[in-house]
Amino acid sequence: IASVGVSGAGIGPSYGLTREVQSKIDKKYDPELEERLVEWIVAQCGSGVGRPQPNKTGFQNWLKDGCVLCELINSLYGANKPIKTIKSSGMAFKQMEQISMFLRAAESYGVTKTDIFQTVDLFEGKDLAAVQRTLMALGSVAVTKGDGNYKGDPSWFHKKAQENRRDFSEEQLKEGQSVIGLQMGTNKGASQAGMTGYGRPRQIINNP
């Protein structure tokens, strides 16, 4: 009776759930985004990388051996390429290794950890929408850097606001520490001091 109740409630065996989850994930995959990403990758790497069949499976097959991804990240680094050897291989572990190398280089380049897909998302096709998100984030970082290595239309990607904030906080590190010191010294007017007294700690630090 319990099992009838369970299946009647639509919970059913795990493969049913997996298929349902997969279908939801697939819905997040954006064919228009795929087109834009393909255009960018070809513009960035040159026509030598070819073009995929225009669908999700074609996109996956184009990227899954890691070669195109490694070419892409190398092109964004300019002369100082992070991946020295890119080899086409029919062996699964070699392909996955190249995807991993791309992911590490993308994170070092400035893509945040939360925007990085997992190797199986691409290799096994578990979440190709996540692959799109990583590539969109990579394009955003490249446009934001503005170091001359980005090729393509700058309007294809939004500049990353958090990248600007991070750069700002690094530049203003000393001033930020002063404000923190000021707020730790007293609560009176701390928020106002934090807003207006940037880098000018005044009497609180002068009179310990």
Side-chain angles (χ1 to χ4, degrees), residues 2 9 12 19 33-35 45 47 51-52 55 59 63 84 119 122-123 127 135 143 157 165-166 186 190 192:
R19 199 183 304 132
L33 210 55
E34 174 197 299
E35 244 176 81
C45 302
S47 58
R51 278 178 182 272
N55 55 46
F59 190 66
L63 300 178
K84 305 303 177 197
T119 301
L122 171 57
F123 193 78
D127 189 356
L135 291 170
V143 169
F157 303 100
R165 279 204 298 274
R166 194 181 73 176
T186 175
Q192 188 184 357

Side-chain angles (χ1 to χ4, degrees), residues 9 30 35 37 92 115 133 137 141 149 186:
D30 187 339
E35 244 176 81
L37 290 168
D115 285 331
R133 281 197 302 275
V141 176
N149 289 321
T186 175

Side-chain angles (χ1 to χ4, degrees), residues 64-65 89-99 119 123:
K64 82 179 274 193
D65 71 354
S89 170
M91 289 185 283
F93 80 93
K94 283 284 185 193
Q95 295 178 358
M96 291 173 83
E97 187 178 41
Q98 287 197 149
I99 295 171
T119 301
F123 193 78

Side-chain angles (χ1 to χ4, degrees), residues 177-187 189-190 193-194 197 200-202 204-205:
Q177 285 171 340
S178 297
V179 171
I180 290 164
L182 185 62
Q183 289 174 341
M184 285 173 70
T186 175
N187 287 328
R200 288 180 286 115
R202 298 196 302 264
I204 295 163
I205 288 175

Side-chain angles (χ1 to χ4, degrees), residues 76-170:
L76 292 172
Y77 271 86
N80 189 24
K81 300 185 189 317
I83 299 165
K84 305 303 177 197
T85 310
I86 303 170
K87 281 186 182 170
S88 183
S89 170
M91 289 185 283
F93 80 93
K94 283 284 185 193
Q95 295 178 358
M96 291 173 83
E97 187 178 41
Q98 287 197 149
I99 295 171
S100 296
M101 287 194 290
F102 160 77
L103 294 173
R104 281 196 299 273
E107 195 176 336
S108 300
Y109 185 72
V111 177
T112 54
K113 217 175 200 19
T114 50
D115 285 331
I116 297 278
F117 68 83
Q118 303 293 309
T119 301
V120 291
D121 292 339
L122 171 57
F123 193 78
E124 296 177 11
K126 284 190 180 295
D127 189 356
L128 290 167
V131 177
Q132 287 188 322
R133 281 197 302 275
T134 299
L135 291 170
M136 286 300 291
L138 183 63
S140 295
V141 176
V143 169
T144 306
K145 280 181 188 282
D147 57 8
N149 289 321
Y150 172 83
K151 298 182 181 84
D153 187 333
S155 69
W156 285 344
F157 303 100
H158 295 296
K159 288 195 172 185
K160 278 177 83 74
Q162 63 262 41
E163 286 296 308
N164 294 340
R165 279 204 298 274
R166 194 181 73 176
D167 294 343
F168 176 80
S169 67
E170 283 167 3

